[in-house]
Amino acid sequence: MPPTDDNRRGFLKTLGLGLLASAAGVRAEMNPAVTEHHWTWTRVGADETPDQLRRRFAEIGAAGVHSLVLGGADEAVCALAAAEGLDVHAWWWTLCRGDQTLLTEHPEWYVVSRDGRSACDDPPYVGYYHFLCPTRPDVRRHLREKLSETLAIDGLAGACLDYIRFPDVILPRALWSKYDLVQHEELPRFDFCYCEVCREAFKALEGRDPLELPDPPADAAWRRFRWDAVTRLVNELAALAREQGKMISASVFPSPTIARQLVRQDWPAWDLDAVLPMVYHSFYEEPVSWIEGAVAAGVKALPVDRPLYAALYLPALKGAGEFEAAVARARAGGAAGVALFGGVRTIPGA
Ligand SMILES: [Zn+2]
C-alpha cells in the first residue's frame, strides 16, 4: 500500500512512542554512557519544496532518528538535514544497475545464469533485476568511479550500499507464492554467475569449469568463490570511501547464514563501518521474536567494534506494540540501534 499522509503521521507517532520512550528506558536502566543510533531510509520527493523537506526532516529527527539513508541526496539536501541534526548517507544501489547506457554499451558486464541467460536482457524474477558481475575488473572500476563521484557531494556523511549481492538464488520464503516458485534447492535459472570471466577465474584458481561441476550448489569452493567476489568489491569500495574521508555501510540479508545461502553475501568479512541487516521477519514467515536471534547471530559474527543496526520492515509491524517489541528484540540481540524501512517515501515508486 502506498504511504499516505495518514500513514506518515502514524509512522512518526509510532516512532516517537517507540524510539524515544525506549531510549529513555535504556538510559535509566543501564549504563548511562550507552547511546543508541537510529536510521531511516527515505527519498526526496520529486515535487518536495525545501520547506516541506525541512519540516519532514524535523519530524524525523524529533522521532529519535539520527541518520538518513537517502535517495536523491545533494549538497542542498544535506545542508537541510544537517540543520535538523541529521546526517545523510547516500542510498547507493551497487550491483543491481539497469542504466540504459550500461545495458547498451556493456551487455557482457551482466551476470549469466547456470542455464545461460544474461541479466542484461533476461533478468530473473522482475524486470529491474539487471545485476552486474563483481568478478569483472571493469565492473569494479566503473563502480569505484561512480561511488567516488557520489561521495564527493559536500556534506554527505557516507554511502550505504544496497543490492550488494548476487540475485537471490533462493527467495525469502514468503515470496515463493508471489513468483509461483518452490525453491528448496538452487535452480539453474536463478544461479549466477557463469559468465566467461567467472568461469576462467574459477578455472585458474581451482582447475575446474563451474559449468562442468557435477553438483554446482554442493561445491564449497564455487560457493566461496562467489562470496569472495562480492567481498572483494565491498572492500575496494570501503577503501575508496576511507580515502575520501566518508563512512561506508551496507544493508544486507538478515543473518550471516541466510545471507550466504540466499544471495552469496559473506558480510561478516566485509570491511565496513556499519552493517544494517534487513531483519524483515515477515519475509521469512517468522514472528517478531525471531529478530533477536537473527541480530545476535550477526553481532556474534562481526568484529566487536563493528556496529550492527537492525533494519526493521515497518509495514509488517502492527501498531506501536509490535514496533516496540521489534525494537526491544533488536536491542536484546545486541543491535546498536535500528534502521527503519517502509515509512513515508522510502519504497521506490511509492
Ligand atoms: Zn561473472
Side-chain angles (χ1 to χ4, degrees):
M1 182 178 69
T4 64
D5 280 348
D6 283 347
N7 291 359
R8 177 172 149 188
R9 277 193 288 276
F11 158 74
L12 292 165
K13 192 176 167 208
T14 302
L15 268 180
L17 286 172
L19 290 184
L20 293 178
S22 308
V26 166
R27 276 197 294 276
E29 290 163 25
M30 298 169 64
N31 182 348
V34 170
T35 52
E36 292 189 329
H37 194 95
H38 304 298
W39 305 56
T40 192
W41 279 266
T42 192
R43 283 182 182 278
V44 177
D47 53 353
E48 208 165 13
T49 68
D51 260 356
Q52 289 170 326
L53 205 51
R54 186 180 297 115
R55 277 200 297 278
R56 193 153 67 86
F57 287 164
E59 288 176 333
I60 290 173
V65 168
H66 310 88
S67 293
L68 303 175
V69 180
L70 192 70
D74 62 17
E75 194 179 329
V77 171
C78 289
L80 283 175
E84 302 303 330
L86 299 167
D87 59 21
V88 177
H89 299 255
W91 183 352
W92 211 73
W93 286 36
T94 313
L95 282 166
C96 184
R97 278 185 181 253
D99 325 19
Q100 203 49 54
T101 321
L102 286 188
L103 291 168
T104 310
E105 292 178 9
H106 297 290
E108 76 285 4
W109 283 9
Y110 289 85
V111 289
V112 175
S113 64
R114 185 156 29 111
D115 66 356
R117 296 196 243 186
S118 168
C120 177
D121 54 15
D122 192 3
Y125 307 114
V126 280
Y128 74 90
Y129 252 36
H130 300 292
F131 276 72
L132 296 168
C133 172
T135 305
R136 291 179 177 256
D138 285 346
V139 166
R140 299 204 306 279
R141 181 184 43 74
H142 174 77
L143 294 175
R144 287 196 305 270
E145 287 170 8
K146 287 284 170 196
L147 182 64
S148 185
E149 284 170 21
T150 298
L151 291 175
I153 295 170
D154 237 13
L156 198 70
C160 184
L161 308 178
D162 201 352
Y163 289 96
I164 174 68
R165 59 180 181 84
F166 282 86
D168 322 53
V169 64
I170 294 177
L171 286 172
R173 186 66 183 80
L175 300 180
W176 291 8
S177 58
K178 179 176 174 188
Y179 294 98
D180 195 22
L181 285 167
V182 175
Q183 293 183 315
H184 292 296
E185 58 191 343
E186 296 189 8
L187 302 169
R189 170 73 185 103
F190 308 109
D191 181 17
F192 296 86
C193 174
Y194 294 79
C195 79
E196 281 174 26
V197 170
C198 282
R199 289 172 64 195
E200 284 304 320
F202 185 71
K203 233 185 280 181
L205 210 60
E206 298 287 334
R208 296 175 290 149
D209 181 344
L211 271 183
E212 289 168 12
L213 298 173
D215 184 4
D219 195 293
W222 179 226
R223 272 202 306 274
R224 164 65 63 187
F225 175 87
R226 289 170 291 174
W227 300 347
D228 290 350
V230 180
T231 298
R232 179 176 47 212
L233 169 62
V234 171
N235 291 350
E236 287 179 8
L237 298 176
L240 180 80
R242 300 227 162 81
E243 277 171 27
Q244 292 183 243
K246 298 288 169 87
M247 197 178 150
I248 187 143
S249 57
S251 59
V252 296
F253 270 49
S255 71
T257 303
I258 294 174
R260 290 186 200 105
Q261 281 175 349
L262 270 53
V263 293
R264 312 200 188 287
Q265 287 178 327
D266 185 21
W267 55 259
W270 297 358
D271 184 21
L272 298 171
D273 297 311
V275 286
L276 285 65
M278 300 176 278
V279 287
Y280 299 168
H281 60 287
S282 61
F283 285 39
Y284 302 89
E285 299 186 337
E286 297 284 358
V288 171
S289 58
W290 170 87
I291 290 170
E292 182 175 337
V295 167
V299 169
K300 186 164 172 246
L302 287 170
V304 287
D305 59 348
R306 181 82 42 88
L308 178 155
Y309 302 100
L312 305 177
Y313 187 64
L314 293 178
L317 296 169
K318 306 288 174 259
E322 274 201 3
F323 176 77
E324 290 200 26
V327 175
R329 290 290 181 174
R331 184 176 287 141
V338 295
L340 307 171
F341 188 86
V344 64
R345 293 187 194 141
T346 59
I347 300 173

